[in-house]
Amino acid sequence: MNEKLPLVSIAIPNYNYGKYLRRCLDSILKQTYPNIEIIVQDNNSKDESYEILREYERRSFEGEIRPYINIGRNKRNVGSDRNSLIVEGRAEGEYLVFLSSDDALKEHFVERCVQVLEKNLNVGMVMVHRDEIDENDNLHETIPFFDRDFIAEGESQAAVFMMAGVAVPSQIMIRKKVRDQSMRNRNYSFQIAGDWYSNFLMSCEADVAYLKEALCEYRIHSGNETNESEKKLKYLKNISKPILKAILNTINNFRLLLFSIISRK
């Protein structure tokens, strides 16, 4: 039966998130959609991450758990952006999810997203609403970014992505073919928030669907990339006006570059 359903690749880049890995992996094992592959790329973690991954790989190899978990490990830390590209390169599915190893999925996440993508061939990515979990696994409900389910014309959504991140990678399922097309225009590499740029490029290629239902659990803690970005923004408020003006000019130039990409479509 699974062969008739499109394969969904769940790609997990990991670095030193052993504390959260079990919840992340267990959330995939509970998915209601049956045709999934799990691919993990460990970025030379210094904690217990790799031992946990080897345990899950062994259990899946012995048939104790499904789907099969395929793990890889870098010999050195190559940076978060490069590690994400490595794990993506190993994915074989028609649809792709980048799941942060400190986040988790609700059990219907994959099923709901696949339904949208199969029904709407013009859609290149599906965003879902998220709840948040803290370092102690306490769940906090959040207000949806949009107030209803809908499909947005891609270039109008691109304008939103220019101003805000809107969604973290764990909230999104991607049509791999459209992702590959968009990567031809990806001329920059980011250590933090590179997914914002990738979302923008994806929306230049295809329409974007949004589901108001909270189908993802996003981890809020002192070490995740969103908090690091927020710390940098707070720092910017305290620097001198001439430097801030130069930064704003650079941002405006970047927006002009993004508009030029749209105009060539």
Side-chain angles (χ1 to χ4, degrees):
M1 176 182 177
N2 289 1
E3 288 75 10
K4 298 180 181 179
L5 298 172
L7 177 64
V8 175
S9 299
I10 300 185
I12 307 174
N14 175 72
Y15 179 68
N16 283 352
Y17 277 163
K19 178 180 178 180
Y20 308 116
L21 260 179
R22 295 185 186 278
R23 184 183 179 111
C24 174
L25 294 171
D26 288 345
S27 76
I28 306 173
L29 301 180
K30 295 175 183 176
Q31 290 297 302
T32 57
Y33 186 84
N35 199 17
I36 295 173
E37 65 170 1
I38 304 174
I39 310 160
V40 188
Q41 189 70 26
D42 184 71
N43 201 10
N44 201 248
S45 294
K46 306 306 180 185
D47 65 358
E48 72 274 24
S49 290
Y50 192 60
E51 288 71 26
I52 293 172
L53 292 172
R54 289 296 301 271
E55 173 197 330
Y56 274 79
E57 185 181 49
R58 175 189 57 77
R59 291 171 61 197
S60 65
F61 180 77
E62 295 175 352
E64 180 184 342
I65 56 177
R66 287 286 184 269
Y68 182 70
I69 300 175
N70 188 331
I71 67 171
R73 190 185 196 191
N74 300 325
K75 293 182 179 180
R76 59 180 177 83
N77 189 316
V78 297
S80 61
D81 195 51
R82 176 60 181 162
N83 195 44
S84 295
L85 293 176
I86 291 172
V87 72
E88 177 182 1
R90 297 167 54 204
E92 298 181 355
E94 183 176 344
Y95 303 129
L96 174 65
V97 178
F98 285 104
L99 178 59
S100 298
S101 54
D102 54 338
D103 296 342
L105 302 176
K106 303 286 184 73
E107 63 179 353
H108 296 295
F109 172 89
V110 174
E111 181 180 1
R112 297 274 199 275
C113 291
V114 169
Q115 288 173 348
V116 174
L117 290 165
E118 288 289 283
K119 185 177 180 180
N120 303 278
L121 299 182
N122 57 310
V123 170
M125 60 189 293
V126 181
M127 295 188 298
V128 306
H129 179 50
R130 75 189 189 210
D131 286 332
E132 294 180 351
I133 45 177
D134 62 25
E135 292 180 280
N136 299 312
D137 286 343
N138 297 310
L139 186 69
H140 306 275
E141 295 183 355
T142 60
I143 299 173
F145 192 87
F146 299 106
D147 62 359
R148 60 186 173 86
D149 297 350
F150 68 96
I151 295 176
E153 189 270 335
E155 292 189 3
S156 65
Q157 185 62 32
V160 177
F161 285 139
M162 290 177 68
M163 303 302 297
V166 182
V168 297
S170 301
Q171 288 176 253
I172 296 174
M173 182 177 288
I174 297 167
R175 192 183 301 276
K176 187 68 162 57
K177 179 174 65 175
V178 177
R179 163 79 174 180
D180 293 342
Q181 292 170 352
S182 71
M183 290 296 284
R184 295 197 302 264
N185 295 318
R186 195 176 193 274
N187 300 318
Y188 301 92
S189 179
F190 299 84
Q191 287 301 312
I192 292 178
D195 54 291
W196 293 12
Y197 181 48
S198 296
N199 290 345
F200 167 80
L201 294 177
M202 282 280 296
S203 63
C204 292
E205 298 286 345
D207 294 340
V208 178
Y210 176 79
L211 298 179
K212 185 183 176 183
E213 183 180 1
L215 294 171
C216 165
E217 296 176 349
Y218 173 63
R219 180 82 61 178
I220 299 295
H221 59 92
S222 58
N224 65 6
E225 289 187 354
T226 301
N227 277 345
E228 290 302 313
S229 298
E230 290 173 350
K231 289 177 183 177
K232 288 180 168 57
L233 289 175
K234 290 178 180 178
Y235 169 75
L236 288 177
K237 293 180 180 179
N238 298 319
I239 64 177
S240 64
K241 290 184 178 180
I243 296 177
L244 181 58
K245 182 177 180 180
I247 291 174
L248 292 175
N249 286 336
T250 301
I251 293 173
N252 287 331
N253 290 335
F254 179 65
R255 289 175 177 169
L256 290 174
L257 171 64
L258 297 183
F259 274 124
S260 70
I261 295 174
I262 293 178
S263 64
R264 293 200 301 267
K265 299 292 294 179

